[in-house]
Amino acid sequence: MDIRVGDRLKLKKQHPCGSFTWLTLRTGMDFRIRCEGCSHEVMLPREKLEKRIRRIYRGEEEINPHISS
């Protein structure tokens, strides 16, 4: 899955603050993401994060990672 720094991610489950969207700050084997609702930062392993992603927003483009192009 192609995830880049600066991408906005919509996850399957809601954060306790009510937001579904997260900003990608760091990529690699681990990802650092920041909640867009409350600015809470979390580090997650790639495998866990990829399972939780519903949509990827890159600029104005919306990407559905579960549909192969």
Side-chain angles (χ1 to χ4, degrees), residues 1 27-31 44-51:
M1 191 175 300
T27 62
M29 285 304 293
D30 293 318
F31 283 82
L44 290 172
R46 175 180 286 272
E47 186 177 317
K48 272 190 172 183
L49 182 64
E50 286 182 349
K51 287 180 183 177

Side-chain angles (χ1 to χ4, degrees), residues 5-63:
V5 173
D7 286 353
R8 289 177 41 241
L9 308 173
K10 181 176 182 182
L11 303 184
K12 292 179 181 178
K13 290 191 177 177
Q14 189 174 14
H15 189 249
C17 75
S19 177
F20 284 94
T21 57
W22 296 75
L23 178 65
T24 307
L25 303 175
R26 178 181 182 267
T27 62
M29 285 304 293
D30 293 318
F31 283 82
R32 179 177 293 277
I33 57 176
R34 179 186 298 145
C35 177
E36 291 192 331
C38 66
S39 299
H40 181 76
E41 291 187 12
V42 179
M43 286 211 46
L44 290 172
R46 175 180 286 272
E47 186 177 317
K48 272 190 172 183
L49 182 64
E50 286 182 349
K51 287 180 183 177
R52 295 178 183 185
I53 294 175
R54 183 159 293 182
R55 293 274 192 271
I56 301 172
Y57 300 99
R58 186 170 296 144
E60 296 297 318
E61 183 181 7
E62 180 180 337
I63 302 164

